[in-house]
Amino acid sequence: MKPLVIDFAPRPPSSARLRWIAGGVGMLLAIVGASAWVLTSPVEASHMAPNPPLGMPGSEAAQAADRAIRELNLPWPEVLAALADHFGTQHDAVLLRVEADIARATLRLTGEARTQAAVQALPERLRSASPIAGADLLGVESVAGAAWPVQFTLELRIREGA
């Protein structure tokens, strides 16, 4: 007769079954890793291609981005503060129009002044402002009978990176 073994503790799974499960999981991980490497290698090597792939910015897009960055890097708050310090009804001159040329980093100012002497002093006063690299008087015109009898045009060069 066979002896009867009574054991109430569960048997641990056989080690052969664990090896098969571990081998299957390892193989699955190897397949997923290899497919990820195969799919990403062309993307990683795309910077070595002679022509930029589709979706990459061309020279026109890069130039547009450079212009936008240059415009943002100009010290606009300082320039506007300098203009507010030198023009207005409390000063000898007022501004009528301001035109910006971002590519050249210049401003063209059109305004009116009370006297010729005030207009002649403007370029030197504006050059003393920190964001302004240079100021040139382009034209002066007298208008008889006006509250602000002298009209002028100035060109300011903005100091980049100020």
Side-chain angles (χ1 to χ4, degrees), residues 17-88:
R17 185 186 297 164
L18 283 177
R19 281 184 274 171
W20 276 103
I21 292 173
V25 169
M27 188 59 104
L28 184 64
L29 287 174
I31 291 171
V32 168
S35 65
W37 180 79
V38 167
L39 293 176
T40 59
S41 63
V43 173
E44 292 173 355
S46 66
H47 69 280
M48 292 187 268
N51 296 329
L54 295 176
M56 296 293 291
S59 64
E60 291 177 14
Q63 288 174 356
D66 287 343
R67 283 191 301 270
I69 289 170
R70 183 174 182 188
E71 180 178 347
L72 291 173
N73 284 338
L74 290 175
W76 292 115
E78 292 86 2
V79 170
L80 295 176
L83 292 178
D85 290 342
H86 291 90
F87 296 99

Short mmCIF file of all heavy atoms in Angstrom, two decimals, residues 17-88:
data_model
loop_
_atom_site.label_atom_id
_atom_site.label_comp_id
_atom_site.label_asym_id
_atom_site.label_seq_id
_atom_site.Cartn_x
_atom_site.Cartn_y
_atom_site.Cartn_z
N ARG A 17 8.38 25.98 -14.92
CA ARG A 17 7.35 26.91 -15.36
C ARG A 17 7.85 28.35 -15.23
O ARG A 17 7.62 29.18 -16.12
CB ARG A 17 6.09 26.72 -14.53
CG ARG A 17 4.96 27.60 -15.04
CD ARG A 17 3.73 27.56 -14.18
NE ARG A 17 3.14 26.22 -14.12
CZ ARG A 17 2.25 25.85 -13.22
NH1 ARG A 17 1.87 26.70 -12.29
NH2 ARG A 17 1.74 24.65 -13.23
N LEU A 18 8.52 28.70 -14.14
CA LEU A 18 9.07 30.04 -13.95
C LEU A 18 10.10 30.38 -15.03
O LEU A 18 10.16 31.50 -15.52
CB LEU A 18 9.70 30.18 -12.57
CG LEU A 18 8.73 30.34 -11.42
CD1 LEU A 18 9.49 30.39 -10.11
CD2 LEU A 18 7.91 31.60 -11.59
N ARG A 19 10.90 29.41 -15.40
CA ARG A 19 11.90 29.65 -16.44
C ARG A 19 11.24 29.95 -17.78
O ARG A 19 11.69 30.80 -18.53
CB ARG A 19 12.85 28.46 -16.55
CG ARG A 19 13.89 28.49 -15.44
CD ARG A 19 14.87 27.39 -15.61
NE ARG A 19 14.24 26.23 -14.93
CZ ARG A 19 14.66 24.99 -14.97
NH1 ARG A 19 15.71 24.69 -15.68
NH2 ARG A 19 14.05 24.04 -14.33
N TRP A 20 10.16 29.23 -18.10
CA TRP A 20 9.46 29.49 -19.35
C TRP A 20 8.82 30.88 -19.35
O TRP A 20 8.87 31.60 -20.35
CB TRP A 20 8.38 28.42 -19.58
CG TRP A 20 8.92 27.19 -20.21
CD1 TRP A 20 9.19 26.00 -19.60
CD2 TRP A 20 9.27 27.04 -21.59
NE1 TRP A 20 9.69 25.11 -20.48
CE2 TRP A 20 9.74 25.72 -21.73
CE3 TRP A 20 9.22 27.86 -22.69
CZ2 TRP A 20 10.17 25.21 -22.94
CZ3 TRP A 20 9.64 27.35 -23.90
CH2 TRP A 20 10.12 26.05 -24.02
N ILE A 21 8.23 31.29 -18.23
CA ILE A 21 7.61 32.62 -18.13
C ILE A 21 8.68 33.71 -18.24
O ILE A 21 8.51 34.69 -18.98
CB ILE A 21 6.81 32.74 -16.82
CG1 ILE A 21 5.59 31.82 -16.87
CG2 ILE A 21 6.38 34.19 -16.59
CD1 ILE A 21 4.83 31.74 -15.56
N ALA A 22 9.78 33.55 -17.52
CA ALA A 22 10.86 34.54 -17.58
C ALA A 22 11.45 34.62 -18.98
O ALA A 22 11.76 35.71 -19.49
CB ALA A 22 11.94 34.21 -16.56
N GLY A 23 11.61 33.50 -19.64
CA GLY A 23 12.13 33.49 -21.01
C GLY A 23 11.19 34.19 -21.97
O GLY A 23 11.61 34.93 -22.86
N GLY A 24 9.88 33.96 -21.82
CA GLY A 24 8.89 34.61 -22.69
C GLY A 24 8.87 36.12 -22.49
O GLY A 24 8.82 36.89 -23.45
N VAL A 25 8.92 36.57 -21.23
CA VAL A 25 8.95 38.01 -20.94
C VAL A 25 10.22 38.63 -21.49
O VAL A 25 10.21 39.71 -22.09
CB VAL A 25 8.79 38.26 -19.43
CG1 VAL A 25 9.09 39.70 -19.07
CG2 VAL A 25 7.40 37.87 -18.97
N GLY A 26 11.34 37.96 -21.34
CA GLY A 26 12.61 38.46 -21.88
C GLY A 26 12.59 38.58 -23.39
O GLY A 26 13.08 39.56 -23.96
N MET A 27 12.02 37.58 -24.04
CA MET A 27 11.93 37.61 -25.50
C MET A 27 11.02 38.75 -25.96
O MET A 27 11.33 39.44 -26.93
CB MET A 27 11.40 36.28 -26.02
CG MET A 27 11.46 36.16 -27.51
SD MET A 27 13.14 36.33 -28.11
CE MET A 27 13.51 34.66 -28.46
N LEU A 28 9.91 38.94 -25.26
CA LEU A 28 9.00 40.04 -25.59
C LEU A 28 9.69 41.39 -25.43
O LEU A 28 9.57 42.26 -26.29
CB LEU A 28 7.75 39.96 -24.71
CG LEU A 28 6.66 40.98 -24.98
CD1 LEU A 28 6.10 40.77 -26.38
CD2 LEU A 28 5.57 40.88 -23.95
N LEU A 29 10.45 41.57 -24.35
CA LEU A 29 11.19 42.82 -24.14
C LEU A 29 12.24 43.02 -25.23
O LEU A 29 12.46 44.14 -25.70
CB LEU A 29 11.85 42.84 -22.76
CG LEU A 29 10.90 43.04 -21.59
CD1 LEU A 29 11.65 42.90 -20.28
CD2 LEU A 29 10.23 44.40 -21.68
N ALA A 30 12.90 41.96 -25.66
CA ALA A 30 13.90 42.07 -26.72
C ALA A 30 13.26 42.50 -28.04
O ALA A 30 13.80 43.33 -28.78
CB ALA A 30 14.64 40.75 -26.89
N ILE A 31 12.09 41.96 -28.35
CA ILE A 31 11.40 42.33 -29.59
C ILE A 31 10.95 43.79 -29.54
O ILE A 31 11.12 44.52 -30.52
CB ILE A 31 10.20 41.37 -29.83
CG1 ILE A 31 10.73 39.97 -30.18
CG2 ILE A 31 9.30 41.91 -30.93
CD1 ILE A 31 9.64 38.93 -30.22
N VAL A 32 10.39 44.22 -28.41
CA VAL A 32 9.94 45.61 -28.29
C VAL A 32 11.14 46.56 -28.37
O VAL A 32 11.08 47.59 -29.06
CB VAL A 32 9.16 45.81 -26.97
CG1 VAL A 32 8.94 47.28 -26.68
CG2 VAL A 32 7.84 45.07 -27.02
N GLY A 33 12.24 46.25 -27.72
CA GLY A 33 13.43 47.10 -27.78
C GLY A 33 14.02 47.18 -29.17
O GLY A 33 14.42 48.26 -29.63
N ALA A 34 14.07 46.05 -29.87
CA ALA A 34 14.62 46.05 -31.23
C ALA A 34 13.73 46.85 -32.17
O ALA A 34 14.23 47.61 -33.01
CB ALA A 34 14.77 44.62 -31.73
N SER A 35 12.42 46.71 -32.04
CA SER A 35 11.54 47.48 -32.93
C SER A 35 11.63 48.97 -32.62
O SER A 35 11.59 49.79 -33.53
CB SER A 35 10.10 46.98 -32.83
OG SER A 35 9.59 47.22 -31.53
N ALA A 36 11.77 49.35 -31.36
CA ALA A 36 11.93 50.76 -31.02
C ALA A 36 13.24 51.30 -31.59
O ALA A 36 13.29 52.43 -32.08
CB ALA A 36 11.88 50.95 -29.51
N TRP A 37 14.30 50.53 -31.55
CA TRP A 37 15.58 50.97 -32.09
C TRP A 37 15.51 51.12 -33.61
O TRP A 37 16.01 52.08 -34.17
CB TRP A 37 16.67 49.98 -31.71
CG TRP A 37 18.00 50.38 -32.22
CD1 TRP A 37 18.84 51.32 -31.71
CD2 TRP A 37 18.66 49.86 -33.38
NE1 TRP A 37 19.96 51.42 -32.47
CE2 TRP A 37 19.89 50.54 -33.50
CE3 TRP A 37 18.33 48.90 -34.32
CZ2 TRP A 37 20.77 50.27 -34.52
CZ3 TRP A 37 19.23 48.64 -35.34
CH2 TRP A 37 20.44 49.32 -35.43
N VAL A 38 14.85 50.19 -34.27
CA VAL A 38 14.73 50.25 -35.72
C VAL A 38 13.90 51.47 -36.13
O VAL A 38 14.21 52.13 -37.12
CB VAL A 38 14.10 48.95 -36.27
CG1 VAL A 38 13.66 49.10 -37.71
CG2 VAL A 38 15.09 47.80 -36.14
N LEU A 39 12.86 51.79 -35.37
CA LEU A 39 12.00 52.91 -35.73
C LEU A 39 12.64 54.26 -35.42
O LEU A 39 12.38 55.24 -36.11
CB LEU A 39 10.66 52.80 -35.01
CG LEU A 39 9.78 51.63 -35.45
CD1 LEU A 39 8.53 51.57 -34.59
CD2 LEU A 39 9.41 51.75 -36.91
N THR A 40 13.49 54.37 -34.40
CA THR A 40 14.06 55.66 -34.04
C THR A 40 15.39 55.94 -34.71
O THR A 40 15.81 57.08 -34.76
CB THR A 40 14.27 55.76 -32.51
OG1 THR A 40 15.13 54.70 -32.08
CG2 THR A 40 12.95 55.72 -31.79
N SER A 41 16.08 54.96 -35.25
CA SER A 41 17.39 55.23 -35.84
C SER A 41 17.33 56.18 -37.03
O SER A 41 18.20 57.03 -37.17
CB SER A 41 18.10 53.92 -36.19
OG SER A 41 17.39 53.22 -37.16
N PRO A 42 16.33 56.13 -37.94
CA PRO A 42 16.29 57.13 -39.01
C PRO A 42 16.06 58.54 -38.48
O PRO A 42 16.58 59.50 -39.02
CB PRO A 42 15.12 56.69 -39.89
CG PRO A 42 14.89 55.27 -39.58
CD PRO A 42 15.33 55.08 -38.16
N VAL A 43 15.30 58.68 -37.42
CA VAL A 43 15.06 59.99 -36.85
C VAL A 43 16.34 60.55 -36.26
O VAL A 43 16.68 61.72 -36.42
CB VAL A 43 13.94 59.92 -35.78
CG1 VAL A 43 13.80 61.23 -35.05
CG2 VAL A 43 12.64 59.49 -36.41
N GLU A 44 17.11 59.71 -35.57
CA GLU A 44 18.36 60.15 -34.98
C GLU A 44 19.39 60.52 -36.05
O GLU A 44 20.19 61.41 -35.86
CB GLU A 44 18.92 59.07 -34.06
CG GLU A 44 18.08 58.86 -32.82
CD GLU A 44 18.55 57.67 -32.00
OE1 GLU A 44 19.46 56.97 -32.44
OE2 GLU A 44 17.98 57.47 -30.92
N ALA A 45 19.37 59.86 -37.18
CA ALA A 45 20.34 60.11 -38.23
C ALA A 45 19.87 61.19 -39.20
O ALA A 45 20.59 61.52 -40.14
CB ALA A 45 20.62 58.82 -38.99
N SER A 46 18.69 61.76 -39.00
CA SER A 46 18.16 62.73 -39.96
C SER A 46 18.99 64.00 -40.03
O SER A 46 18.98 64.68 -41.04
CB SER A 46 16.72 63.06 -39.63
OG SER A 46 16.66 63.74 -38.39
N HIS A 47 19.72 64.34 -38.97
CA HIS A 47 20.52 65.56 -39.02
C HIS A 47 21.74 65.42 -39.93
O HIS A 47 22.36 66.40 -40.29
CB HIS A 47 20.99 65.95 -37.61
CG HIS A 47 21.99 65.00 -37.02
ND1 HIS A 47 21.61 63.81 -36.45
CD2 HIS A 47 23.33 65.07 -36.94
CE1 HIS A 47 22.69 63.18 -36.04
NE2 HIS A 47 23.74 63.92 -36.32
N MET A 48 22.05 64.20 -40.35
CA MET A 48 23.18 63.99 -41.25
C MET A 48 22.75 63.99 -42.71
O MET A 48 23.58 63.90 -43.59
CB MET A 48 23.85 62.65 -40.92
CG MET A 48 24.53 62.66 -39.57
SD MET A 48 25.47 61.18 -39.29
CE MET A 48 24.26 60.18 -38.48
N ALA A 49 21.47 64.13 -42.99
CA ALA A 49 20.99 64.11 -44.37
C ALA A 49 21.42 65.39 -45.09
O ALA A 49 21.46 66.46 -44.49
CB ALA A 49 19.47 64.00 -44.39
N PRO A 50 21.77 65.30 -46.38
CA PRO A 50 22.22 66.50 -47.10
C PRO A 50 21.11 67.54 -47.27
O PRO A 50 21.36 68.71 -47.22
CB PRO A 50 22.70 65.97 -48.45
CG PRO A 50 22.06 64.63 -48.60
CD PRO A 50 21.82 64.11 -47.21
N ASN A 51 19.89 67.11 -47.50
CA ASN A 51 18.75 68.02 -47.63
C ASN A 51 17.89 67.89 -46.40
O ASN A 51 17.69 66.79 -45.90
CB ASN A 51 17.92 67.68 -48.88
CG ASN A 51 18.71 67.89 -50.14
OD1 ASN A 51 19.57 68.76 -50.20
ND2 ASN A 51 18.42 67.09 -51.15
N PRO A 52 17.34 69.00 -45.90
CA PRO A 52 16.49 68.87 -44.72
C PRO A 52 15.24 68.07 -45.04
O PRO A 52 14.64 68.25 -46.10
CB PRO A 52 16.14 70.33 -44.36
CG PRO A 52 16.40 71.11 -45.59
CD PRO A 52 17.44 70.37 -46.37
N PRO A 53 14.85 67.17 -44.15
CA PRO A 53 13.64 66.39 -44.39
C PRO A 53 12.40 67.28 -44.34
O PRO A 53 12.46 68.41 -43.85
CB PRO A 53 13.64 65.36 -43.26
CG PRO A 53 14.53 65.91 -42.22
CD PRO A 53 15.50 66.81 -42.91
N LEU A 54 11.31 66.76 -44.85
CA LEU A 54 10.06 67.52 -44.84
C LEU A 54 9.69 67.85 -43.40
O LEU A 54 9.88 67.05 -42.50
CB LEU A 54 8.95 66.70 -45.50
CG LEU A 54 9.15 66.43 -46.99
CD1 LEU A 54 8.04 65.53 -47.50
CD2 LEU A 54 9.19 67.71 -47.77
N GLY A 55 9.15 69.01 -43.22
CA GLY A 55 8.74 69.42 -41.88
C GLY A 55 9.81 70.24 -41.17
O GLY A 55 9.52 70.89 -40.19
N MET A 56 11.05 70.23 -41.66
CA MET A 56 12.11 71.02 -41.07
C MET A 56 12.07 72.42 -41.69
O MET A 56 11.78 72.56 -42.88
CB MET A 56 13.48 70.39 -41.31
CG MET A 56 13.65 69.03 -40.66
SD MET A 56 13.66 69.14 -38.87
CE MET A 56 15.20 69.95 -38.60
N PRO A 57 12.37 73.46 -40.92
CA PRO A 57 12.31 74.81 -41.49
C PRO A 57 13.40 75.02 -42.52
O PRO A 57 14.53 74.60 -42.34
CB PRO A 57 12.51 75.71 -40.28
CG PRO A 57 13.19 74.87 -39.27
CD PRO A 57 12.73 73.46 -39.52
N GLY A 58 13.03 75.67 -43.63
CA GLY A 58 13.99 76.00 -44.68
C GLY A 58 14.65 77.33 -44.37
O GLY A 58 14.52 77.89 -43.28
N SER A 59 15.36 77.85 -45.33
CA SER A 59 16.09 79.09 -45.10
C SER A 59 15.14 80.26 -44.90
O SER A 59 15.44 81.16 -44.11
CB SER A 59 17.05 79.36 -46.25
OG SER A 59 16.32 79.56 -47.45
N GLU A 60 14.01 80.28 -45.59
CA GLU A 60 13.06 81.38 -45.42
C GLU A 60 12.46 81.38 -44.02
O GLU A 60 12.34 82.43 -43.39
CB GLU A 60 11.96 81.30 -46.46
CG GLU A 60 12.42 81.59 -47.87
CD GLU A 60 11.31 81.43 -48.90
OE1 GLU A 60 10.14 81.35 -48.48
OE2 GLU A 60 11.62 81.39 -50.09
N ALA A 61 12.10 80.21 -43.53
CA ALA A 61 11.54 80.12 -42.19
C ALA A 61 12.58 80.47 -41.14
O ALA A 61 12.27 81.14 -40.14
CB ALA A 61 10.99 78.72 -41.94
N ALA A 62 13.82 80.06 -41.37
CA ALA A 62 14.89 80.39 -40.42
C ALA A 62 15.14 81.89 -40.41
O ALA A 62 15.36 82.48 -39.35
CB ALA A 62 16.16 79.63 -40.78
N GLN A 63 15.12 82.53 -41.58
CA GLN A 63 15.32 83.98 -41.64
C GLN A 63 14.16 84.71 -40.96
O GLN A 63 14.38 85.71 -40.27
CB GLN A 63 15.46 84.43 -43.09
CG GLN A 63 16.77 84.02 -43.71
CD GLN A 63 16.84 84.34 -45.19
OE1 GLN A 63 15.87 84.81 -45.78
NE2 GLN A 63 17.99 84.08 -45.79
N ALA A 64 12.95 84.22 -41.13
CA ALA A 64 11.80 84.84 -40.46
C ALA A 64 11.94 84.71 -38.94
O ALA A 64 11.63 85.65 -38.20
CB ALA A 64 10.51 84.21 -40.94
N ALA A 65 12.39 83.58 -38.50
CA ALA A 65 12.60 83.38 -37.06
C ALA A 65 13.70 84.30 -36.55
O ALA A 65 13.58 84.88 -35.46
CB ALA A 65 12.94 81.93 -36.77
N ASP A 66 14.78 84.46 -37.32
CA ASP A 66 15.86 85.37 -36.93
C ASP A 66 15.36 86.81 -36.83
O ASP A 66 15.73 87.54 -35.91
CB ASP A 66 17.02 85.29 -37.92
CG ASP A 66 17.81 84.00 -37.79
OD1 ASP A 66 17.68 83.33 -36.75
OD2 ASP A 66 18.56 83.67 -38.73
N ARG A 67 14.52 87.23 -37.80
CA ARG A 67 13.98 88.59 -37.75
C ARG A 67 13.11 88.79 -36.51
O ARG A 67 13.17 89.83 -35.86
CB ARG A 67 13.18 88.88 -39.02
CG ARG A 67 14.04 89.18 -40.23
CD ARG A 67 13.20 89.72 -41.39
NE ARG A 67 12.15 88.82 -41.82
CZ ARG A 67 12.28 87.89 -42.75
NH1 ARG A 67 13.44 87.73 -43.37
NH2 ARG A 67 11.27 87.11 -43.08
N ALA A 68 12.29 87.78 -36.20
CA ALA A 68 11.42 87.89 -35.02
C ALA A 68 12.24 87.96 -33.74
O ALA A 68 11.95 88.76 -32.84
CB ALA A 68 10.46 86.72 -34.97
N ILE A 69 13.29 87.17 -33.67
CA ILE A 69 14.16 87.19 -32.49
C ILE A 69 14.87 88.53 -32.38
O ILE A 69 14.98 89.09 -31.29
CB ILE A 69 15.16 86.02 -32.54
CG1 ILE A 69 14.41 84.70 -32.32
CG2 ILE A 69 16.26 86.20 -31.51
CD1 ILE A 69 15.23 83.47 -32.58
N ARG A 70 15.33 89.06 -33.51
CA ARG A 70 16.00 90.35 -33.48
C ARG A 70 15.04 91.45 -33.02
O ARG A 70 15.43 92.31 -32.22
CB ARG A 70 16.54 90.68 -34.87
CG ARG A 70 17.32 91.97 -34.89
CD ARG A 70 17.96 92.21 -36.22
NE ARG A 70 18.71 93.44 -36.13
CZ ARG A 70 19.28 94.03 -37.14
NH1 ARG A 70 19.23 93.47 -38.32
NH2 ARG A 70 19.91 95.16 -36.98
N GLU A 71 13.80 91.40 -33.49
CA GLU A 71 12.81 92.40 -33.08
C GLU A 71 12.55 92.30 -31.58
O GLU A 71 12.46 93.32 -30.89
CB GLU A 71 11.52 92.20 -33.84
CG GLU A 71 10.45 93.20 -33.47
CD GLU A 71 9.18 93.03 -34.27
OE1 GLU A 71 9.20 92.32 -35.29
OE2 GLU A 71 8.17 93.62 -33.88
N LEU A 72 12.47 91.10 -31.06
CA LEU A 72 12.22 90.93 -29.63
C LEU A 72 13.41 91.32 -28.78
O LEU A 72 13.25 91.71 -27.63
CB LEU A 72 11.82 89.48 -29.35
CG LEU A 72 10.46 89.06 -29.89
CD1 LEU A 72 10.26 87.57 -29.71
CD2 LEU A 72 9.35 89.84 -29.24
N ASN A 73 14.62 91.22 -29.35
CA ASN A 73 15.82 91.55 -28.59
C ASN A 73 16.12 93.04 -28.55
O ASN A 73 16.98 93.47 -27.78
CB ASN A 73 17.03 90.79 -29.14
CG ASN A 73 17.02 89.35 -28.72
OD1 ASN A 73 16.39 88.98 -27.74
ND2 ASN A 73 17.70 88.51 -29.47
N LEU A 74 15.46 93.83 -29.39
CA LEU A 74 15.67 95.27 -29.33
C LEU A 74 15.08 95.79 -28.02
O LEU A 74 14.03 95.35 -27.57
CB LEU A 74 15.02 95.96 -30.53
CG LEU A 74 15.71 95.71 -31.87
CD1 LEU A 74 14.91 96.34 -32.99
CD2 LEU A 74 17.13 96.24 -31.87
N PRO A 75 15.74 96.76 -27.39
CA PRO A 75 15.29 97.24 -26.07
C PRO A 75 14.12 98.22 -26.17
O PRO A 75 14.25 99.41 -25.86
CB PRO A 75 16.56 97.91 -25.52
CG PRO A 75 17.27 98.40 -26.74
CD PRO A 75 17.01 97.36 -27.80
N TRP A 76 12.96 97.73 -26.60
CA TRP A 76 11.81 98.60 -26.81
C TRP A 76 11.38 99.37 -25.57
O TRP A 76 11.09 100.57 -25.67
CB TRP A 76 10.65 97.81 -27.39
CG TRP A 76 10.90 97.35 -28.78
CD1 TRP A 76 11.01 96.07 -29.21
CD2 TRP A 76 11.13 98.16 -29.94
NE1 TRP A 76 11.29 96.03 -30.55
CE2 TRP A 76 11.36 97.30 -31.03
CE3 TRP A 76 11.16 99.53 -30.16
CZ2 TRP A 76 11.60 97.76 -32.31
CZ3 TRP A 76 11.40 99.99 -31.44
CH2 TRP A 76 11.62 99.11 -32.50
N PRO A 77 11.28 98.77 -24.40
CA PRO A 77 10.85 99.56 -23.22
C PRO A 77 11.79 100.73 -22.93
O PRO A 77 11.33 101.83 -22.61
CB PRO A 77 10.85 98.54 -22.08
CG PRO A 77 10.68 97.22 -22.75
CD PRO A 77 11.39 97.34 -24.06
N GLU A 78 13.10 100.50 -23.06
CA GLU A 78 14.06 101.59 -22.80
C GLU A 78 13.95 102.68 -23.85
O GLU A 78 14.06 103.87 -23.55
CB GLU A 78 15.49 101.03 -22.75
CG GLU A 78 15.77 100.13 -21.57
CD GLU A 78 15.38 98.68 -21.82
OE1 GLU A 78 14.94 98.37 -22.95
OE2 GLU A 78 15.52 97.87 -20.90
N VAL A 79 13.75 102.29 -25.12
CA VAL A 79 13.61 103.27 -26.20
C VAL A 79 12.36 104.13 -25.97
O VAL A 79 12.41 105.36 -26.09
CB VAL A 79 13.57 102.58 -27.58
CG1 VAL A 79 13.18 103.55 -28.67
CG2 VAL A 79 14.90 101.93 -27.89
N LEU A 80 11.25 103.50 -25.65
CA LEU A 80 10.02 104.24 -25.41
C LEU A 80 10.14 105.16 -24.19
O LEU A 80 9.62 106.28 -24.19
CB LEU A 80 8.84 103.28 -25.26
CG LEU A 80 8.50 102.47 -26.52
CD1 LEU A 80 7.39 101.47 -26.23
CD2 LEU A 80 8.12 103.39 -27.68
N ALA A 81 10.84 104.70 -23.17
CA ALA A 81 11.06 105.55 -21.99
C ALA A 81 11.92 106.76 -22.35
O ALA A 81 11.66 107.88 -21.89
CB ALA A 81 11.70 104.73 -20.87
N ALA A 82 12.94 106.54 -23.19
CA ALA A 82 13.79 107.66 -23.61
C ALA A 82 13.00 108.67 -24.43
O ALA A 82 13.17 109.88 -24.28
CB ALA A 82 14.99 107.14 -24.41
N LEU A 83 12.13 108.19 -25.31
CA LEU A 83 11.30 109.10 -26.10
C LEU A 83 10.34 109.87 -25.20
O LEU A 83 10.11 111.07 -25.40
CB LEU A 83 10.52 108.33 -27.17
CG LEU A 83 11.36 107.72 -28.30
CD1 LEU A 83 10.45 106.96 -29.26
CD2 LEU A 83 12.17 108.77 -29.03
N ALA A 84 9.77 109.21 -24.21
CA ALA A 84 8.86 109.89 -23.29
C ALA A 84 9.59 110.94 -22.47
O ALA A 84 9.01 111.97 -22.11
CB ALA A 84 8.19 108.87 -22.36
N ASP A 85 10.88 110.72 -22.17
CA ASP A 85 11.67 111.68 -21.41
C ASP A 85 12.01 112.93 -22.22
O ASP A 85 12.28 113.98 -21.64
CB ASP A 85 12.97 111.04 -20.91
CG ASP A 85 12.74 110.01 -19.82
OD1 ASP A 85 11.65 110.04 -19.21
OD2 ASP A 85 13.65 109.20 -19.57
N HIS A 86 12.06 112.83 -23.54
CA HIS A 86 12.52 113.95 -24.36
C HIS A 86 11.42 114.63 -25.17
O HIS A 86 11.64 115.70 -25.75
CB HIS A 86 13.62 113.48 -25.31
CG HIS A 86 14.88 113.12 -24.60
ND1 HIS A 86 15.13 111.85 -24.15
CD2 HIS A 86 15.95 113.86 -24.24
CE1 HIS A 86 16.31 111.82 -23.55
NE2 HIS A 86 16.83 113.03 -23.60
N PHE A 87 10.23 114.02 -25.25
CA PHE A 87 9.17 114.60 -26.04
C PHE A 87 7.89 114.68 -25.23
O PHE A 87 7.65 113.88 -24.33
CB PHE A 87 8.90 113.76 -27.30
CG PHE A 87 10.05 113.72 -28.26
CD1 PHE A 87 10.94 112.64 -28.27
CD2 PHE A 87 10.27 114.77 -29.12
CE1 PHE A 87 11.99 112.62 -29.15
CE2 PHE A 87 11.33 114.76 -30.01
CZ PHE A 87 12.20 113.68 -30.02
N GLY A 88 7.06 115.64 -25.56
CA GLY A 88 5.77 115.81 -24.91
C GLY A 88 5.46 117.28 -24.77
O GLY A 88 6.29 118.16 -25.02
#
